[in-house]
Amino acid sequence: MVGNIIKRHDRVSSSILYLSLLKLALIILRLNPQKRSQWSAIIFTFPKFSLILGGVASGKSRFAETLVRQSNRPRTYIATAQAFDGEMEDKIKQHQIDRGPDWSTVEAPIAVPEALSRVPDTHIVLIDCMTLWLSNLILSENCPKDPSEPLLNAVKTCKFPIVTVSNEVGHSVIPDTKLGRRFQKDQGRLNAKLAAEADLVVMVTAGIPQVLKGRIPANPA
């Protein structure tokens, strides 16, 4: 009985010490704004792998880009889009303008795992997006049975943080073509496997992020 009382006392003491340190950190942040970024790096750990989901024009890419900027690391953008027409060309150009010039861009419509292997360990990577990557794979001649396997293997071996964007297609109507139904099913399965591996999963709806898993390391505007 005495031993149980001592153990409870130790747990209470540890909790009080933790809360005291947290309160001290918050006071320092208020008194010295210049130290905020340094303390944020200590208090919040940037997730190793993040998945940002959303519908078309939901604001998911913009949120992902803002999230990446919180890491204060050199930024690499892995682009999976291909400009097959003028409309897509304009969309890609607008994305480039929105991102700004301080990104290293790698065009990888299919070879995303290979592109990840060439990124320096000091960087952070944004892959935009998994939906176009999967579409490119399905339409190619050498689509693997499980395209998520080589991607997830590459993600696990990388030492830098990765943020990836993907469309949530489960809320849309069932396509009326066999190819469309295959894509919808494969996209749903891919999203589920990415979410299972991810440390952070966020759903963006009408520009508003909702955390489904993990914790956002900062407060992207």
Side-chain angles (χ1 to χ4, degrees):
M1 182 175 179
V2 174
N4 290 335
I5 294 174
I6 293 174
K7 289 180 181 178
R8 284 199 295 270
H9 179 270
D10 289 343
R11 285 198 295 268
V12 171
S13 299
S14 298
S15 299
I16 293 173
L17 177 61
Y18 173 79
L19 291 173
S20 298
L21 290 173
L22 183 59
K23 179 184 269 188
L24 177 61
L26 292 173
I27 292 173
I28 293 174
L29 290 180
R30 292 193 187 100
L31 294 178
N32 191 351
Q34 294 180 352
K35 296 292 184 180
R36 286 178 184 174
S37 60
Q38 297 177 16
W39 274 91
S40 295
I42 296 172
I43 299 173
F44 303 110
T45 302
F46 202 92
K48 173 69 166 51
F49 181 48
S50 303
L51 173 63
I52 312 302
L53 296 165
V56 175
S58 61
K60 60 187 183 298
S61 292
R62 180 164 295 185
F63 175 82
E65 291 168 10
T66 306
L67 179 62
V68 167
R69 291 189 180 95
Q70 308 306 309
S71 72
N72 295 320
R73 284 171 170 250
R75 299 185 283 273
T76 294
Y77 184 94
I78 297 181
T80 61
Q82 299 183 84
F84 291 121
D85 54 34
E87 182 181 355
M88 196 61 185
E89 287 181 1
D90 292 340
K91 185 175 182 179
I92 291 173
K93 289 178 181 177
Q94 187 59 52
H95 269 282
Q96 292 171 343
I97 293 171
D98 292 342
R99 285 198 305 274
D102 51 349
W103 293 72
S104 299
T105 301
V106 178
E107 303 288 342
I110 291 178
V112 171
E114 292 81 358
L116 286 171
S117 68
R118 295 189 291 270
V119 175
D121 290 344
T122 55
H123 281 220
I124 183 170
V125 169
L126 172 58
I127 307 172
D128 196 358
C129 69
M130 289 291 95
T131 307
L132 290 174
W133 174 73
L134 181 62
S135 300
N136 296 335
L137 274 174
I138 290 176
L139 296 175
S140 68
E141 297 179 356
N142 300 313
C143 181
K145 185 176 181 181
D146 183 6
S148 66
E149 185 175 353
L151 175 66
L152 289 175
N153 287 337
V155 167
K156 291 175 183 178
T157 59
C158 291
K159 297 180 180 179
F160 45 79
I162 299 170
V163 177
T164 189
V165 176
S166 191
N167 278 62
E168 173 51 62
V169 296
H171 298 165
S172 59
V173 298
I174 298 175
D176 58 359
T177 64
K178 183 178 180 179
L179 181 61
R181 290 191 294 273
R182 177 196 172 185
F183 165 75
Q184 189 180 55
K185 179 181 68 176
D186 288 352
Q187 182 68 66
R189 290 177 176 174
L190 174 62
N191 286 347
K193 290 183 178 181
L194 294 174
E197 182 65 26
D199 305 291
L200 172 66
V201 181
V202 177
M203 170 71 77
V204 181
T205 304
I208 301 173
Q210 296 176 303
V211 178
L212 305 182
K213 178 182 179 182
R215 182 179 183 182
I216 297 176
N219 185 23

